[in-house]
Amino acid sequence: MEPSIKYPIYEWELLQDTYYQKSAIGKAEWEYIDPVDFMFAVAPCGGAIAITRSESNLQSNYKYDQVPMYSICVFCLSGQLLQTLTWDKTSLVGMGWNENEELIVVSKQGQVRVYNLLGEFHQFSLGKGVENIGIRECQFSEGGVFALLQNDTFISITGFEEPWRKTYASIPFNTLEYYNIDSWALIPNPFSPDLGMDIVVTVGPHILQIDEQDSQLHSISSLQHVSHISISPNARYLALYESVGKVRVISSDFSKELLDLRLPETVAEASLKQMAWCGNDAVVLVHENLLTLVGPFGGSVPYLYNHTPIVSTEVDGVRILTKDSSEFLRKVPAPLENIFHIGSKTPGAKLVEAFQKMKLKSVFAEKMLLELKDELHDAVDTCVQASLNEFSIEWQKVLLEAASLGKNSLRMYNHQEYVDVCRELRVLNAARDPNVGIYITHEEYLHLGLERLIQRFSCRQLYGLAVQASMWMQIPCDWVYIQWAQTYIKQSSEPEEVVLDNIVKRLSSRKYISYEKIARTAYQEGRLILSTKLLDFEPLAKHQVMLLLNMEAYEQALKKVIETMDNNLIIYVVLQIKQQMAIASFFQILNEYPDAVKVYVEFAKKNDRKTLHDFFYQDDNKQGIAVLAVEDTLKTATVNQRITSLKSAAKVCSESKELSLEEKCLGDEIKLLQLQQTYEDQFTGNFVGLTVNEVVVKLIQINQTQRANKLRSDFQIPEKRFAWLKLRALVAIRDWVQIEQWAGSMRRSPIGFEPFVTEILSAGNKKEAAKYIPRCTQLTTQEKVDMWVQVGDVKSASEEAAKSKSGSVLGDLLERVQTMPESRFVQNALDQLRR
Amino acid sequence: MTTDVKEKATFKLLDLIDSVTGKKSLLLERDLSGILGQIVTTNTLQEHGIPQVYWFNENIPNDIEKKTIYLCRPTYENAKLVATHVRQFQRDMLRIESTVIVLPTSNILFETVLQEEGVFGELLVTEWPLHAVPLDKDLLSLELGPEKLEESLLQRSTDALIDFERTHGRFPRVSGRGPYAAKMLELLEKTYQEEATINFGKVEGEISALYDSVLLVDRSLDRITPFLTQLTYFGFLDEILGIQQMNVKLPSSLVNRNEASNTGPMKKFSLSSSSSQITKEIRDINFNCIGPYLSKIARKLSSDFEGRRQAKTVNQIRDFVSKLGSLQSEHTSLNIHTGLAETLVQHTKNNYFQKLLQLQHLLVSHADSFTQFNLLDEIIYAEAPVEEVFRVLCLASITTNGLRRKDIDHYRREITQTYGYYHLLTFQALIDAGLLRLRQSTNISLQKSLSYSTWLNTYPLVKDEVDEQNPEDIAYTYSGYGPLSVHIAYDILKGRDNEEKILKLQNMPGTYVDKWTLDQEKVMPKNLKTNVPGKRRVLVFFIGGCTYTELAAFRLLQEKEDLYEFTFMTTGMVTGSSLIRAFIPNIESLNE
């Protein structure tokens, strides 16, 4: 036995057959404030305590001066002042905490504020009706405020982000005729828990349950005047205190009475200050300096205090706060009782004893370990669980080391579970440190959740601890850095460059952190330059862009969105800017970003040509305007519309020397369209919309050669092209005579005579095509021979081939035509050559 | 490999369709009809409650169902159009329940427009996250159409690549060359960083055990190849008849012939290699060899059919009967390919085709300019399609480092008079895009270093003697020119692990990028363990589109060197003509 460690059982009290433990968890220093003298609220799961003056002590005297007027002081359970909240000069009716450790403050006029630990708040009203009536009392449940109004009716508000109000049925008039409302509590709706809470009210000796539609009177035998009512944390039991000094516990569905205890006369004579549940199976009563623990089977344990305590229920016990102490009273957790009960022979107890003997190098240690045999696994589990429930760090070590000794002897044990427990203990012990002051038990930890516990560290500006705990538990912690930066921006009065430097330096180790929320906070605090610079560090470009738009930092938004290379986002940003800005400013900013211009131009050509035209105009972009103008001509549907449009486009081009060729081309098109109209009047057939070439072909085909020649000079058609057009036109109408006359009139054709052969041959007239082969003076002999063969004139082919005096040419020809009767000509020529 | 992609896309689409219960109409953006046809059949749509598919345009069908589904890209114009429809429904007091399925993902502009039009609350907007359409076993396409090469392609390319990585694991390595390749790598890293930010530093996905790397091919470095006429069978088909989502529209002459032969009308023919063994064998063959090859196949099929006479025993008869189905299918395929080949042959006999090939060859060989332009004039006189003319001009602009002012002016006149005045706009658009350039008198040294001649000196692009029958060189794809893009990419692939060659790679024009996803040491051992020895799988990603000849070139290298196994992903399949068409404006026909 190590005398330096106090054995846990010394703190235990036996109440019938159950042990209860009251632990002093720290010396409280409420800065000389006695909480009992003030209105107070204690946050669940070891959270903060809020203290303020109630209406009864608004007058100034030495006793109350520690809490300033119209202020709410917030302490942690070790007594450190966390924050002083400022309240308007109105009467408070109640305060409560939600599980995010936000303080909800309700005034008599129905004003509700929700504060965080930084002192920030948002507020809303319970409504005009409530303002007129006034609130008498209020209570709080998770996510809601419940109020008893001065006219004896109840309302509730749930969901503080978007408050939703509910009105409860009235208490029957005859019930209130002779008695007043003495106490009330919240109880889950028995039929539909999702519908929210019902209210249980005691009116003299009567108990009623009220929901939105109805109120129901419950009958309890021999019930006398009830001054206090309290519901257990699991909402399964109701505790009633009758003013004659009797405590009753019934099930919350009123079907069963579980306890009926009359207190001793000396206790009952004092007035009851508080009644609260200790976990789900015991009730504590506070009469002046006496705290009485009432067990589930009627026994009781008294605790006497120097100062009147205040109590607050937890899921697994009750917190007891006095002027100079902070304590926690609970039923002893099973694993701890299993091991530390006097004379305990459980496997866990044996394992601890074996470990202690081993440390003393006792020869009996090994023997005890061996004796455990099949119970060793159970022993290890018990020690591990006990360590989680133990407050003393020294005993935690003993328990964990005993467990480690045991598990190393086991072949199949999940070591990860042991590691996880060690991690959880690190977090819990860190929270319980007096400098932190969150005296949370393991069960409360499970109830609250790890994320919310770490959130509490962050809200207390214990950022280092929040990060450390996140790392221990291997969960993301970037949000802690973000919260730190946000708070730093709000509270700092340093120059912006200093703030920026400090934030970037601190956050540079976080490779993937998002700066968007931090930048947004800076913007909301009016630090525009800081906000813009912080956004440069935001890795998600879209976040940057959205916030910059929100900040009306249009130029920066445009610059950033271009980097995304996302055309949809670019167009979105440009359109947003266009909506917000004067058109001249919009153009000015757009001009600075050619990449955005490129995207916008493509978009606006289809969807906003008017603005695009103005944009080009202000930039003196004549080519851009010209392109728009020419594009507009394509959309016209009638000749006259097109001519008008073309004239407009030509005028635009005339204003720029670089566009002179375009201007001429458009002028030609106008001239062409006008001619086409004339031709359609004069001749049958369609001319409108044809190209220059097509018109020439058509004119020649209808025997208007003179007009075709005029087009040739008017539109400066090159000689070669004109010749091709004429040939193609005449072939199409099979005018072989005119082709022959035309060919005869030329000594030399601009395109040679090969096209004559090929085009006429394509039209299927071999005889006519043959006429022009002799005039193909630029062809090789082989090419001419090929042509003669194609038109079917083998005799001429052989004559042509013979001119070359080449046996190979004649030989090839003979091979090609040897199946034809005319092949004899080739044979003769070949024979002639060989002779 | 791409089969899972297709099945997944099918299931997802049908899920989205079935989430609208009962009978409904489908309004389909015209550009997406090919993609939709690739994924589901009309019968399947009918089985899922869509009796009728309409085009999605300004007109609202009279007999539209009470529930409608719009399938479209999430563009500003489509958002406006949907809003117009919904407001019309409201004016007509129709209780139409509308759902919009966007391909592949929505965006803030699309949704903002719907909100500003006041119809967002009336709609359900869902996403069909099919980023890349599987066209063949080794080919996926984003099907972004013949769009101009611009940075917005990169966002969608990155999304598609990341989507691929979610299925196949992250690529250990990313390599490439060119400004778009560098930007895409940057965007890829940035997107993963953003994802890490959202997930508090956790990046999803493990390194791929399947793929060695992704190779980025940047179209902006090689603008030449698409402007040449492709001479592989598939490439030539795409040039002449057009291939859409690996389907070719059969010419009417072929349809008539097939109807006459009682095989039923076939408007479209699938060129997917999984549909026919013949298709797979002939797809990359040089077109000049297609005739003899088809004849050989025909003879083989005949001898296979002869197997009927050889079948004596019951087992032999059963064997033949089991082969008969595939034999008949191959026979049908052969008939169609023969017909297609004949159609292509007819095209080569027109009065400009040979001149075109000749001119292209002169240009890529860097010959003199006078002859070039004489040939081009003749091509214009022969009234070749205007796309062909512009292709030659762009090609000449690139290979000769810009055209002279007077030449551009000459062709502006020739083209506007022959093809229409509105091609002034085509000229301007091509000049703005940098595909047509004026020769500058200054900065000669800089331009030379970036010009085509640099690549001509670096790689053996042009070969005068190419064996088209049994090709040894990728130049067979153009009968004498090997795609520059493939030379650049393959050079990176071969040289990136060689110390001496890396220096050379870094000094070539265009930014060279080579990035390991994790530290090289961490990736290599794992890679070596899991990969087939000697064979490394590479995803070749084409930014700005690719041609069938480029695929054929890579496949030749894959087969000949036996070092790599390629999978291809591209923003779209392109030809020179489809690229040019993106710059040609539409003109309204005139009434009196």
Side-chain angles (χ1 to χ4, degrees):
Chain A
M1 183 65 64
E2 297 185 13
S4 61
I5 303 181
K6 187 177 178 183
Y7 223 76
I9 197 167
Y10 288 149
E11 292 177 335
W12 298 6
E13 289 281 354
L14 183 61
L15 175 57
Q16 288 164 334
D17 62 351
T18 304
Y19 281 102
Y20 286 83
Q21 173 191 31
K22 182 159 72 76
S23 306
I25 57 182
K27 181 169 175 53
E29 295 173 12
W30 317 104
E31 300 188 1
Y32 311 108
I33 292 168
D34 192 339
V36 77
D37 295 328
F38 297 87
M39 181 184 291
F40 66 89
V42 183
C45 300
I49 176 173
I51 294 173
T52 190
R53 297 193 188 194
S54 62
E55 190 172 47
S56 62
N57 54 33
L58 287 178
Q59 296 176 25
S60 173
N61 68 50
Y62 78 96
K63 195 174 182 184
Y64 308 119
D65 280 353
Q66 282 76 14
V67 179
M69 293 282 287
Y70 307 116
S71 292
I72 302 167
C73 296
V74 180
F75 297 88
C76 69
L77 287 181
S78 62
Q80 288 184 62
L81 179 66
L82 295 176
Q83 184 66 258
T84 302
L85 309 174
T86 303
W87 175 252
D88 291 339
K89 299 179 178 180
T90 56
S91 300
L92 291 190
V93 72
M95 297 189 298
W97 295 90
N98 64 19
E99 288 194 352
N100 290 327
E101 211 173 33
E102 291 170 325
L103 182 67
I104 305 146
V105 179
V106 183
S107 79
K108 289 202 169 186
Q109 282 71 45
Q111 209 65 24
V112 180
R113 277 192 185 179
V114 183
Y115 290 89
N116 64 18
L117 285 184
L118 295 173
E120 302 161 344
F121 66 87
H122 66 277
Q123 68 182 19
F124 56 90
S125 169
L126 295 182
K128 264 239 185 324
V130 174
E131 287 179 16
N132 294 334
I133 298 168
I135 297 175
R136 187 191 302 170
E137 297 173 16
C138 64
Q139 295 186 23
F140 303 86
S141 80
E142 186 173 340
V145 177
F146 295 77
L148 169 60
L149 307 187
Q150 297 285 14
N151 64 353
D152 290 328
T153 60
F154 292 91
I155 65 161
S156 72
I157 295 286
T158 53
F160 294 131
E161 297 305 318
E162 293 180 19
W164 183 61
R165 180 173 149 173
K166 187 161 81 167
T167 302
Y168 288 84
S170 299
I171 299 174
F173 174 78
N174 57 5
T175 306
L176 290 171
E177 193 171 4
Y178 302 103
Y179 303 99
N180 294 322
I181 294 174
D182 292 301
S183 64
W184 55 288
L186 309 175
I187 192 169
N189 185 289
F191 304 106
S192 288
D194 291 345
L195 291 181
M197 307 291 268
D198 285 359
I199 297 178
V200 177
V201 186
T202 66
V203 183
H206 303 295
I207 297 184
L208 299 93
Q209 183 167 348
I210 305 173
D211 62 18
E212 281 179 280
Q213 278 84 35
D214 199 10
S215 71
Q216 180 186 355
L217 185 65
H218 290 294
S219 171
I220 299 179
S221 62
S222 314
L223 190 66
Q224 299 192 46
H225 181 261
V226 177
S227 64
H228 290 78
I229 187 169
S230 181
I231 192 163
S232 64
N234 62 7
R236 292 169 66 183
Y237 309 109
L238 277 172
L240 310 170
Y241 186 83
E242 297 176 45
S243 54
V244 296
K246 181 188 287 189
V247 178
R248 293 200 188 194
V249 173
I250 60 177
S251 61
S252 58
D253 59 0
F254 295 88
S255 65
K256 198 172 6 175
E257 182 169 284
L258 303 167
L259 176 70
D260 187 341
L261 174 71
R262 180 172 293 275
L263 298 173
E265 288 291 337
T266 54
V267 175
E269 285 169 2
S271 66
L272 179 71
K273 286 197 170 291
Q274 266 191 287
M275 179 172 70
W277 282 84
C278 174
N280 290 303
D281 59 1
V283 176
V284 297
L285 308 169
V286 179
H287 295 83
E288 300 295 349
N289 290 15
L290 179 68
L291 184 147
T292 305
L293 175 68
V294 178
F297 305 108
S300 68
V301 176
Y303 297 92
L304 201 60
Y305 285 87
N306 294 330
H307 305 279
T308 303
I310 61 173
V311 294
S312 177
T313 296
E314 294 278 20
V315 291
D316 60 338
V318 64
R319 295 198 182 275
I320 305 170
L321 307 174
T322 69
K323 181 177 179 182
D324 55 12
S325 68
S326 178
E327 297 174 328
F328 183 65
L329 174 62
R330 65 173 173 173
K331 178 181 172 183
V332 173
L336 287 177
E337 182 179 355
N338 181 279
I339 291 172
F340 291 118
H341 186 281
I342 292 178
S344 173
K345 294 300 179 184
T346 62
K350 287 180 179 177
L351 182 56
V352 171
E353 188 176 355
F355 166 74
Q356 288 173 320
K357 287 187 185 308
M358 182 156 299
K359 287 188 70 176
L360 295 173
K361 301 188 184 351
S362 169
V363 296
F364 293 102
E366 189 76 20
K367 180 187 174 191
M368 294 184 72
L369 209 55
L370 290 173
E371 284 175 359
L372 283 167
K373 284 188 263 184
D374 295 335
E375 296 174 317
L376 185 54
H377 198 290
D378 188 44
V380 172
D381 282 344
T382 304
C383 287
V384 166
Q385 290 302 311
S387 70
L388 279 171
N389 287 280
E390 176 56 49
F391 291 129
S392 160
I393 294 176
E394 287 79 9
W395 276 109
Q396 287 170 3
K397 288 179 182 175
V398 171
L399 291 161
L400 285 174
E401 287 175 328
S404 180
L405 172 66
K407 79 177 172 69
N408 289 339
S409 304
L410 287 168
R411 197 174 315 114
M412 300 178 65
Y413 185 81
N414 180 10
H415 294 270
Q416 186 61 45
E417 185 179 324
Y418 182 88
V419 172
D420 290 342
V421 164
C422 292
R423 287 185 179 147
E424 283 186 7
L425 271 177
R426 291 183 82 177
V427 177
L428 292 172
N429 287 336
R432 294 169 188 158
D433 187 282
N435 290 319
V436 179
I438 300 176
Y439 288 110
I440 189 169
T441 67
H442 182 248
E443 187 166 342
E444 290 158 16
Y445 164 79
L446 295 178
H447 182 80
L448 183 67
L450 170 64
E451 280 79 12
R452 276 205 279 221
L453 178 57
I454 296 181
Q455 179 74 14
R456 286 186 174 188
F457 298 155
S458 188
C459 286
R460 286 167 167 72
Q461 303 188 51
L462 299 170
Y463 301 109
L465 177 57
V467 169
Q468 196 70 53
S470 298
M471 289 179 174
W472 291 334
M473 304 304 287
Q474 298 177 346
I475 62 170
C477 63
D478 281 1
W479 63 270
V480 178
Y481 288 90
I482 292 171
Q483 274 193 16
W484 165 80
Q486 288 172 314
T487 304
Y488 177 43
I489 289 170
K490 288 171 181 171
Q491 297 182 349
S492 172
S493 58
E494 293 164 314
E496 292 198 350
E497 57 268 25
V498 174
V499 174
L500 174 69
D501 196 43
N502 288 337
I503 290 176
V504 172
K505 203 177 297 177
R506 177 70 67 89
L507 270 60
S508 61
S509 63
R510 310 303 304 172
K511 187 178 177 186
Y512 298 109
I513 199 165
S514 173
Y515 282 72
E516 185 251 340
K517 289 193 177 82
I518 304 169
R520 190 176 294 276
T521 296
Y523 175 69
Q524 288 163 353
E525 294 292 312
R527 306 235 207 176
L528 300 186
I529 296 173
L530 175 61
S531 178
T532 305
K533 289 186 175 177
L534 284 167
L535 266 183
D536 279 345
F537 294 89
E538 164 60 47
L540 283 89
K542 288 175 185 177
H543 284 186
Q544 283 179 329
V545 167
M546 290 316 199
L547 182 50
L548 288 165
L549 279 178
N550 194 257
M551 291 163 56
E552 301 182 6
Y554 297 126
E555 186 159 348
Q556 291 94 328
L558 201 53
K559 183 179 177 183
K560 286 294 173 185
V561 77
I562 289 164
E563 296 173 12
T564 66
M565 292 189 272
D566 182 344
N567 276 19
N568 288 315
L569 195 56
I570 293 172
I571 293 168
Y572 172 81
V573 168
V574 170
L575 293 181
Q576 294 291 310
I577 295 174
K578 179 169 176 285
Q579 279 181 28
Q580 302 299 325
M581 281 184 141
I583 198 70
S585 304
F586 169 64
F587 289 160
Q588 186 178 348
I589 196 176
L590 205 57
N591 277 328
E592 297 176 31
Y593 296 96
D595 288 335
V597 169
K598 196 193 304 177
V599 175
Y600 176 65
V601 165
E602 209 63 35
F603 169 83
K605 276 193 175 186
K606 284 191 274 186
N607 298 290
D608 196 355
R609 293 175 70 87
K610 174 63 172 67
T611 304
L612 186 56
H613 178 276
D614 295 343
F615 175 70
F616 285 147
Y617 185 82
Q618 61 82 36
D619 198 34
D620 199 31
N621 184 348
K622 289 187 164 48
Q623 178 177 291
I625 298 175
V627 168
L628 288 184
V630 177
E631 284 174 354
D632 287 340
T633 69
L634 309 189
K635 297 180 171 61
T636 54
T638 68
V639 176
N640 289 334
Q641 284 172 2
R642 181 155 297 186
I643 289 176
T644 302
S645 188
L646 284 164
K647 284 179 177 176
S648 176
K651 183 175 184 301
V652 169
C653 292
S654 70
E655 296 170 8
S656 173
K657 194 171 70 175
E658 288 81 31
L659 301 172
S660 58
L661 187 143
E662 284 86 347
E663 180 193 0
K664 185 176 191 317
C665 181
L666 295 173
D668 281 356
E669 185 67 18
I670 295 168
K671 188 162 58 178
L672 182 65
L673 282 168
Q674 290 166 337
L675 283 171
Q676 288 170 349
Q677 283 183 308
T678 303
Y679 295 156
E680 289 203 350
D681 292 340
Q682 295 177 350
F683 312 118
T684 58
N686 295 319
F687 283 85
V688 163
L690 301 183
T691 64
V692 170
N693 284 15
E694 287 164 337
V695 172
V696 167
V697 167
K698 208 171 187 67
L699 287 174
I700 291 173
Q701 288 176 348
I702 63 174
N703 208 26
Q704 296 292 326
T705 307
Q706 286 285 58
R707 295 184 187 276
N709 282 327
K710 187 165 194 310
L711 282 188
R712 172 182 170 183
S713 61
D714 286 349
F715 292 95
Q716 298 163 40
I717 300 174
E719 187 179 51
K720 282 188 176 181
R721 176 147 52 93
F722 188 83
W724 262 102
L725 296 175
K726 184 167 181 177
L727 174 62
R728 194 170 291 133
L730 293 174
V731 167
I733 61 174
R734 306 295 193 261
D735 193 340
W736 315 122
V737 173
Q738 191 165 179
I739 293 175
E740 192 166 1
Q741 290 173 354
W742 174 38
S745 72
M746 298 184 289
R747 186 182 322 137
R748 188 191 62 82
S749 165
I751 57 179
F753 285 95
E754 303 91 296
F756 283 73
V757 177
T758 57
E759 292 294 315
I760 298 174
L761 191 56
S762 297
N765 195 330
K766 293 182 175 180
K767 180 169 175 289
E768 286 295 322
K771 290 179 181 178
Y772 306 98
I773 297 178
R775 301 193 64 176
C776 300
T777 56
Q778 303 194 42
L779 294 182
T780 65
T781 299
Q782 182 67 60
E783 286 168 334
K784 280 192 185 178
V785 169
D786 290 342
M787 278 189 166
W788 283 116
V789 173
Q790 288 181 49
V791 302
D793 192 338
V794 177
K795 183 169 182 289
S796 300
S798 69
E799 290 172 3
E800 188 71 38
K803 290 177 186 176
S804 69
K805 302 184 187 304
S806 168
S808 63
V809 171
L810 280 165
D812 288 343
L813 178 56
L814 181 60
E815 190 170 338
R816 288 168 66 183
V817 303
Q818 60 188 347
T819 60
M820 300 178 184
E822 294 86 351
S823 64
R824 69 181 185 278
F825 293 109
V826 184
Q827 188 66 58
N828 290 342
L830 198 53
D831 293 343
Q832 193 78 12
L833 182 65
R834 286 166 181 166
R835 189 175 302 109
Chain B
M1 191 276 301
T2 58
T3 306
D4 343 322
V5 177
K6 183 171 176 178
E7 285 181 3
K8 194 170 152 191
T10 306
F11 291 149
K12 180 61 181 176
L13 178 62
L14 295 178
D15 265 358
L16 294 172
I17 289 173
D18 289 341
S19 69
V20 182
T21 58
K23 229 180 180 188
K24 52 250 175 182
S25 299
L26 176 62
L27 284 83
L28 175 66
E29 182 178 355
R30 190 176 286 266
D31 289 345
L32 302 185
S33 67
I35 295 174
L36 185 67
Q38 193 79 6
I39 301 297
V40 291
T41 64
T42 305
N43 282 345
T44 304
L45 290 178
Q46 287 172 358
E47 289 165 9
H48 288 261
I50 299 180
Q52 188 70 43
V53 179
Y54 305 92
W55 291 136
F56 176 39
N57 50 37
E58 312 84 55
N59 304 314
I60 298 176
N62 290 327
D63 51 350
I64 199 167
E65 303 283 349
K66 292 304 176 189
K67 296 180 179 179
T68 60
I69 297 177
Y70 298 88
L71 179 56
C72 62
R73 297 277 189 193
T75 62
Y76 179 93
E77 293 77 24
N78 282 341
K80 287 279 189 177
L81 202 48
V82 169
T84 302
H85 278 219
V86 173
R87 276 202 301 272
Q88 186 62 48
F89 294 152
Q90 290 167 345
R91 269 195 297 274
D92 296 345
M93 306 297 287
L94 298 176
R95 294 177 163 275
I96 305 289
E97 181 185 312
S98 300
T99 301
V100 182
I101 301 177
V102 298
L103 179 71
T105 55
S106 191
N107 60 69
I108 188 171
L109 180 64
F110 185 76
E111 293 181 2
T112 299
V113 174
L114 292 175
Q115 285 170 20
E116 289 178 353
E117 296 285 336
V119 301
F120 191 73
E122 309 294 326
L123 299 166
L124 178 62
V125 178
T126 59
E127 299 178 336
W128 181 26
L130 175 64
H131 291 273
V133 182
L135 299 184
D136 215 329
K137 284 177 179 170
D138 61 350
L139 175 63
L140 295 128
S141 170
L142 276 60
E143 291 299 290
L144 296 179
E147 286 190 21
K148 301 157 189 175
L149 182 58
E150 58 186 10
E151 287 180 352
S152 67
L153 286 183
L154 295 177
Q155 180 71 61
R156 291 193 262 192
S157 299
T158 303
D159 290 344
L161 199 56
I162 291 175
D163 186 63
F164 188 90
E165 286 184 299
R166 292 221 165 86
T167 308
H168 299 86
R170 290 196 63 180
F171 295 102
R173 191 177 189 180
V174 181
S175 307
R177 177 182 298 286
Y180 284 87
K183 283 182 177 175
M184 181 158 168
L185 176 56
E186 180 188 324
L187 198 53
L188 204 53
E189 289 180 333
K190 189 173 186 180
T191 305
Y192 272 115
Q193 187 191 15
E194 291 187 354
E195 188 170 308
T197 300
I198 292 169
N199 292 319
F200 295 113
K202 296 175 186 170
V203 181
E204 293 175 17
E206 292 188 352
I207 297 297
S208 176
L210 202 61
Y211 279 89
D212 170 86
S213 56
V214 57
L215 190 59
L216 301 176
V217 180
D218 189 332
R219 175 57 58 208
S220 68
L221 282 190
D222 174 14
R223 309 297 284 250
I224 293 161
T225 298
F227 289 136
L228 298 168
T229 302
Q230 305 179 59
L231 293 180
T232 60
Y233 176 56
F234 268 21
F236 203 44
L237 263 182
D238 202 10
E239 298 276 3
I240 307 305
L241 296 177
I243 299 178
Q244 304 294 332
Q245 286 88 38
M246 207 53 79
N247 287 302
V248 61
K249 264 184 190 172
L250 298 179
S252 55
S253 57
L254 281 189
V255 175
N256 292 335
R257 181 191 301 183
N258 278 284
E259 282 172 351
S261 64
N262 291 322
T263 55
M266 296 175 67
K267 305 292 183 179
K268 277 187 184 179
F269 178 64
S270 171
L271 297 174
S272 172
S273 63
S274 57
S275 67
S276 163
Q277 180 65 23
I278 292 177
T279 304
K280 182 173 186 179
E281 289 175 11
I282 66 178
R283 63 183 176 179
D284 293 331
I285 287 177
N286 183 286
F287 179 71
N288 290 325
C289 305
I290 198 73
Y293 197 89
L294 287 176
S295 297
K296 187 172 73 174
I297 293 177
R299 286 194 295 272
K300 181 176 185 299
L301 276 184
S302 293
S303 71
D304 287 344
F305 271 109
E306 285 295 311
R308 180 185 334 124
R309 295 199 187 87
Q310 310 303 324
K312 304 293 184 187
T313 68
V314 172
N315 281 340
Q316 286 172 339
I317 293 173
R318 185 183 297 114
D319 283 349
F320 175 75
V321 169
S322 68
K323 288 177 188 171
L324 188 58
S326 67
L327 283 176
Q328 285 175 337
S329 141
E330 290 293 302
H331 196 268
T332 301
S333 183
L334 175 63
N335 281 341
I336 291 174
H337 282 302
T338 303
L340 290 171
E342 286 174 3
T343 303
L344 299 181
V345 168
Q346 288 306 313
H347 181 84
T348 64
K349 295 179 177 177
N350 66 32
N351 52 9
Y352 65 83
F353 183 75
Q354 295 299 331
K355 290 190 174 77
L356 201 55
L357 291 190
Q358 185 183 346
L359 183 47
Q360 289 173 0
H361 189 73
L362 287 171
L363 286 169
V364 296
S365 304
H366 245 190
D368 70 280
S369 60
F370 177 76
T371 307
Q372 294 165 26
F373 289 116
N374 272 356
L375 276 171
L376 183 52
D377 283 351
E378 292 179 26
I379 290 166
I380 294 173
Y381 299 156
E383 294 191 347
V386 71
E387 291 91 345
E388 298 291 348
V389 179
F390 278 119
R391 284 171 77 166
V392 171
L393 287 175
C394 292
L395 186 62
S397 174
I398 296 165
T399 57
T400 65
N401 200 30
L403 301 177
R404 293 177 300 176
R405 180 83 216 186
K406 72 171 196 174
D407 291 327
I408 286 187
D409 288 351
H410 169 73
Y411 284 108
R412 274 209 270 209
R413 168 167 294 278
E414 289 293 321
I415 288 172
T416 53
Q417 290 196 346
T418 305
Y419 299 104
Y421 80 97
Y422 61 97
H423 285 297
L424 284 177
L425 295 172
T426 309
F427 266 98
Q428 192 58 54
L430 290 169
I431 290 171
D432 290 341
L435 290 173
L436 269 181
R437 274 183 293 132
L438 273 170
R439 189 174 299 169
Q440 303 289 340
S441 55
T442 59
N443 296 324
I444 292 175
S445 61
L446 173 63
Q447 290 186 36
K448 266 198 171 181
S449 71
L450 293 174
S451 70
Y452 173 68
S453 62
T454 301
W455 295 117
L456 204 53
N457 293 331
T458 304
Y459 297 118
L461 299 181
V462 177
K463 289 207 164 184
D464 289 331
E465 299 293 333
V466 177
D467 185 351
E468 295 168 348
Q469 194 86 33
N470 299 291
E472 287 292 318
D473 189 281
I474 61 177
Y476 92 96
T477 54
Y478 287 93
S479 296
Y481 165 84
L484 171 59
S485 54
V486 179
H487 278 288
I488 292 174
Y490 205 68
D491 192 28
I492 289 172
L493 209 52
K494 299 297 292 294
R496 64 183 176 179
D497 292 318
N498 184 307
E499 287 291 338
E500 297 171 12
K501 289 188 177 177
I502 285 177
L503 198 62
K504 187 183 169 191
L505 286 172
Q506 286 166 350
N507 289 327
M508 284 180 190
T511 308
Y512 170 64
V513 294
D514 183 27
K515 182 76 191 307
W516 290 89
T517 302
L518 298 179
D519 292 335
Q520 185 169 343
E521 291 74 24
K522 293 181 186 174
V523 174
M524 279 296 241
K526 184 181 179 183
N527 239 19
L528 289 176
K529 254 187 279 183
T530 53
N531 273 7
V532 178
K535 200 93 167 180
R536 292 150 76 187
R537 191 180 286 226
V538 176
L539 181 78
V540 182
F541 193 104
F542 292 88
I543 306 167
C546 81
T547 61
Y548 284 100
T549 43
E550 286 167 322
L551 299 183
F554 271 112
R555 286 174 183 142
L556 176 67
L557 293 170
Q558 171 179 282
E559 181 185 334
K560 191 163 71 74
E561 301 207 3
D562 206 33
L563 292 175
Y564 304 99
E565 186 178 343
F566 295 121
T567 303
F568 305 103
M569 190 182 286
T570 176
T571 51
M573 302 304 300
V574 297
T575 63
S577 294
S578 70
L579 288 178
I580 295 293
R581 272 194 290 274
F583 295 92
I584 297 179
N586 293 319
I587 183 168
E588 200 88 16
S589 61
L590 285 175
N591 304 321
E592 189 47 45

